Amino acid sequence: MKILEVTRVNPFSNSPESATELCLPLTLFDLFWFKLHPVERLFFYRLNDLTPAFFNSVILPKLKRSLSLTLLHYLPLAGNLKWPPGQPKPAILYTPNDGVPLTVAESNADFNLLSGNGIHDAFGLHPLKPELITSDDSASTLALQITLFPNMGFCIGITAHHAVLDGRTTTVFIKSWAYICNQDNSPLPPELTPFFDRSLLKGPDGVDMLYLNQWLAMSGKSLKLTTTAGEGPDPVRATFEITRDGFNKLRERVLSEVADGGTQLHLSTFVLTYAHVATCKVKARGGDGDRGVILGFTVDCRRRLNPPVPENYLGNCNTGMYEFVKARDFLGEDGFVCAVQKVSGMVKVLKERGVLEGIERKLSDTFDLIKEQPDSKIQIISVAGSPIFGVYGSDFGWGKPQKVEIVSIEEYEAFSMAESRDGSGGVEVGLALQRHEMETFSSLFLKHI
């Protein structure tokens, strides 16, 4: 890896909007993620015969200019997370001359390997992701990196502060940047124009300060982020796909094994994917059947709040669902069906009780999970991303991504979900595991689809 440039991209300075100061207070949904690990995504673009000269004279200037124009619509992302004097909680502050940190690099690593689906060392992706600039009193909301792979293509890495952006918002920002780059500064369509009004987010009074005080009790007032144990030493990554035919097989398997014909089960692609991945992960790890397993996933609350929040709302608007089970539930031949019943039940509870039920306990429960993880045998299975985000629709003018990776899944034993690149209606699953577990997982995963 060779660093070519470290700079800062400001919102387009010839517009009056760039001279506007902006302050957005953090909501309870933001403060849940206050110091947790940022979201790290990589977008690989194949461009055969890409020379450094063409990259530096055409691609890089176009990406920089379109980024500057995009930031006019997304001023908070050019700002920083700070603690305003006299205010009870942090806020996103944008002032004129703020900008997004951008690193430009060149790599001689194997583009095909890093952007492929096969098993490869996870650390190979790490040089492609930028680091957020954080200190005790300030944290950048976003960091970007553009890496040239001569004669192969380029990669855009985005690291987003999780107290500022959730997965949906990060994806919409990338799509907006791609749209302006591809359409030569055409106005953003409504679905890509960010919505900033936070007064619509209704939740129980005082939960925002409850969350903040829990964070302060754990790590003080510093704006530096926390770290976790992750997947351990030398993890490997791989990507798998469940096609429409694969989903039919999984659905038929469930229906053939449950007594009531599955009428009480929620057999969505999400439930089937999660259950299949969870079963294979638990079996790949093996061990004592009495060991604990925690099933968890985040839920987008935008449509589930009253009143609903627009899909293009900029910020976090999600909550988590968790359930504690025993490994033995998944280790037997009926493990997949058991997993489907567990996850389907979690979805049913969500629909019956709503997203705000028990939200006061969500953060303290999460802290308990993080504290237990490094020193216990508990296996945490969580998910990042979603097929509905449409990450493969991010075309900057040189074709859709060859591959999209979520690097940050390594931090929480998570797996990623995205739509299949070919638009066939399948689901792409990404994982980071120890090599011996990955090899077992691969055999189990492919066996039933």
Side-chain angles (χ1 to χ4, degrees), residues 145-223:
Q145 179 170 322
I146 303 171
T147 304
L148 165 68
F149 290 81
N151 302 312
M152 294 302 296
F154 64 93
C155 174
I156 296 177
I158 177 170
T159 299
H161 199 300
H162 215 329
V164 179
L165 299 170
D166 60 10
R168 178 184 289 277
T169 309
T170 305
T171 305
V172 172
F173 168 73
I174 285 286
K175 286 184 175 181
S176 300
W177 181 13
Y179 182 90
I180 288 177
C181 186
N182 203 359
Q183 301 295 326
D184 196 23
N185 196 28
S186 297
L188 285 177
E191 67 271 16
L192 297 180
T193 303
F195 180 85
F196 294 149
D197 186 0
R198 306 194 154 203
S199 65
L200 286 183
L201 271 71
K202 304 297 184 183
D205 291 340
V207 175
D208 55 347
M209 293 307 299
L210 174 66
Y211 284 176
L212 180 59
N213 289 332
Q214 289 171 347
W215 276 113
L216 296 182
M218 185 179 78
S219 56
K221 203 172 180 179
S222 170
L223 295 179

Side-chain angles (χ1 to χ4, degrees), residues 17 19 27 42 52 101 122 144 158-159 175 190 198 220 300 318 380 385 405 446 448:
E17 287 88 350
T27 70
L42 300 177
L144 295 167
I158 177 170
T159 299
K175 286 184 175 181
R198 306 194 154 203
D300 193 311
N318 51 36
I380 300 177
E405 292 274 17
L446 298 174
H448 295 289

Side-chain angles (χ1 to χ4, degrees), residues 326-448:
K326 292 290 187 179
R328 70 161 63 90
D329 296 336
F330 297 166
L331 290 175
E333 286 297 318
D334 62 345
F336 171 66
V337 174
C338 180
V340 168
Q341 292 170 329
K342 294 287 187 184
V343 181
S344 177
M346 294 167 71
V347 173
K348 185 176 181 180
V349 168
L350 172 69
K351 289 184 175 182
E352 292 175 349
R353 299 181 183 177
V355 293
L356 298 179
E357 174 75 20
I359 198 168
E360 302 89 346
R361 302 186 302 275
K362 296 289 186 181
L363 185 58
S364 58
D365 290 347
T366 302
F367 284 166
D368 291 341
L369 300 184
I370 293 174
K371 290 175 183 177
E372 290 175 354
Q373 185 181 9
D375 302 319
S376 74
K377 297 179 180 180
I378 291 178
Q379 183 176 13
I380 300 177
I381 301 175
S382 59
V383 61
S386 169
I388 67 174
F389 290 171
V391 292
Y392 283 102
S394 307
D395 181 357
F396 285 82
W398 300 282
K400 64 182 179 181
Q402 175 72 20
K403 186 68 176 299
V404 179
E405 292 274 17
I406 302 181
V407 182
S408 45
I409 61 172
E410 299 168 27
E411 291 294 319
Y412 300 109
E413 296 191 55
F415 67 94
S416 64
M417 289 178 62
E419 79 281 10
S420 293
R421 183 181 184 274
D422 61 7
S424 61
V427 171
E428 195 174 271
V429 174
L431 293 101
L433 297 170
Q434 296 300 299
R435 182 173 291 275
H436 66 281
E437 285 189 22
M438 184 68 82
E439 291 169 351
T440 304
F441 176 94
S442 178
S443 175
L444 293 167
F445 189 90
L446 298 174
K447 182 178 178 180
H448 295 289

